[in-house]
Amino acid sequence: MKTIQIDGLDKSITTLIQGSDYFKPSVYDKVCQVLDRYIAIGGNTIDTAHIYCGGESEVAIGMWLKERNNREDVVILTKGAHHDQNGPRVNPEAISQDLFESLERLGTDYIDLYALHRDDPDVPVSEIIDALNEHIEAGRIKAIGGSNWTTERIQAANEYAAANGLIGFSFSSPNLSLAKANEPFWKGCVSTDSDDKKWHEETQLPLLSWSSQARGFFTGRFTPEDRSNEDLVRVFYSDANWERLARAEQLADKKGVTAIQIALAYVLNQAFPTCALIGAQNEQELVSCLEGSNIELSRDEVEWLENGS
């Protein structure tokens, strides 16, 4: 499996990152089947979060890590400081609380990739970077990033870090997919637009995309007339995206692959380092993702898929 490098880590991470938002101890057999097979095909990075399944996702991963005794071989990406019913909680206290709870659940004393799950523009980046650097210095975090942070806020944070001899964000994790979002999936979510892509190309900051395959939009199961999936309709139904689907199907026929594999290849063939968070739940989906990750697209093909002729 292909890999990229992220500053702060002593090992590369695979371009396919296994998602875990359905992991629970109650389905531990399935957790083991998915993770064991993901590792077997060459993957090494697992995505989770403090809030996933009320914390049970991290607990299940911790059980697997302990049972397999493979912590040093696996890269853990987890996220904290998500807002709650009272609003934003991106502050030093919430970061510390979530991080320590995540460490305990995962049964580890460090997180490889730690991302802030949301942003709060009212909090100065200085407070956030200072807090995260304390955890880096203590060895609890190796590399930091922002999930659903704008490129403007990431740049501000990294400029502050550089000016003060501190470690800044070495990755970003927004949504990037061939289907362009009409509106955010959930409040505070960020989807990558053309200006963001230019910024990533200029900075070469790695982008780890969630919903990289647009929640199944490119599977062929959906049509403009089928409006049964309200979230998919709200976020991805548009004339432009149906045209992108048609182009993906056309290129897939040419290359002898599937449209959803072309959609994955679009994410992984950008002009900057990218990874795709995947939600594979069985052997067929894992193999499909692996095959899609190996598809090479030219820059012209990437541009054509997105914008047409």
Side-chain angles (χ1 to χ4, degrees):
M1 192 179 296
K2 296 176 182 177
T3 62
I4 68 167
Q5 190 67 45
I6 290 183
D7 288 346
L9 298 192
D10 55 7
K11 60 171 71 75
S12 302
I13 73 169
T14 49
T15 56
L16 295 180
I17 298 176
Q18 177 62 47
S20 66
D21 62 356
Y22 60 91
F23 284 12
K24 295 181 180 181
S26 60
V27 292
Y28 185 60
D29 286 348
K30 181 175 183 178
V31 171
C32 291
Q33 289 170 7
V34 170
L35 290 181
D36 288 346
R37 184 57 184 145
Y38 168 71
I39 296 297
I41 65 173
N44 76 346
T45 305
I46 304 169
D47 167 67
T48 186
H50 182 267
I51 67 164
Y52 284 177
C53 300
E56 291 188 274
S57 171
E58 291 179 326
V59 171
I61 293 167
M63 292 166 59
W64 177 82
L65 290 170
K66 182 178 181 179
E67 202 171 84
R68 299 297 184 267
N69 191 29
N70 62 354
R71 176 66 186 94
E72 295 305 310
D73 300 323
V74 176
V75 175
I76 297 295
L77 162 61
T78 196
K79 303 176 287 292
H82 195 284
H83 57 240
D84 61 16
Q85 66 273 14
N86 299 315
R89 46 189 301 277
V90 185
N91 56 66
E93 294 75 25
I95 291 169
S96 291
Q97 177 183 336
D98 289 3
L99 173 60
F100 280 112
E101 289 180 358
S102 291
L103 289 168
E104 182 177 0
R105 293 168 180 168
L106 289 160
T108 184
D109 57 5
Y110 71 94
I111 302 297
D112 303 274
L113 301 171
Y114 194 74
L116 299 178
H117 212 160
R118 292 288 192 274
D119 187 16
D120 180 359
D122 291 332
V123 178
V125 291
S126 57
E127 291 183 22
I128 297 168
I129 291 295
D130 288 348
L132 289 169
N133 270 258
E134 290 180 10
H135 293 296
I136 293 173
E137 290 170 14
R140 290 185 284 266
I141 299 172
K142 289 190 175 183
I144 55 175
S147 178
N148 298 297
W149 275 52
T150 64
T151 54
E152 291 82 6
R153 280 279 284 181
I154 293 174
Q155 181 164 325
N158 284 358
E159 287 174 353
Y160 169 79
N164 290 275
L166 299 171
I167 295 172
F169 289 167
S170 56
F171 67 96
S172 178
S173 185
N175 164 247
L176 169 64
S177 66
L178 178 55
K180 305 308 173 186
N182 302 319
E183 60 181 73
F185 286 78
W186 303 282
K187 184 178 180 181
C189 285
V190 171
S191 290
T192 306
D193 62 21
S194 57
D195 288 339
D196 296 331
K197 287 177 59 179
K198 290 176 184 176
W199 183 87
H200 276 277
E201 185 172 355
E202 291 169 1
T203 63
Q204 289 296 298
L205 189 83
L207 187 154
L208 318 182
S209 170
W210 55 264
S211 282
S212 54
Q213 293 171 296
R215 300 172 73 84
F217 183 83
F218 293 92
T219 59
R221 297 197 303 264
F222 303 99
T223 65
E225 295 74 33
D226 177 5
R227 308 185 71 82
S228 57
N229 187 318
E230 292 182 6
D231 281 337
L232 208 68
V233 171
R234 176 177 61 87
V235 178
F236 285 132
Y237 275 36
S238 70
D239 290 344
N241 281 337
W242 293 119
E243 291 169 4
R244 292 183 181 105
L245 172 58
R247 290 194 291 271
E249 291 172 338
Q250 182 179 336
L251 190 58
D253 286 343
K254 179 180 177 182
K255 293 181 178 290
V257 297
T258 64
I260 198 165
Q261 289 174 325
I262 290 293
L264 180 62
Y266 163 86
V267 171
L268 297 177
N269 281 272
Q270 297 294 320
F272 47 87
T274 54
C275 294
L277 278 56
I278 60 170
Q281 299 195 34
N282 54 51
E283 170 82 7
Q284 181 182 0
E285 291 174 355
L286 277 169
V287 170
S288 173
C289 288
L290 179 61
E291 292 172 349
S293 73
N294 289 323
I295 296 171
E296 299 282 351
L297 298 180
S298 69
R299 189 150 186 174
D300 286 345
E301 286 173 326
V302 170
E303 173 69 20
W304 177 76
L305 282 168
E306 182 172 346
N307 298 314
S309 55

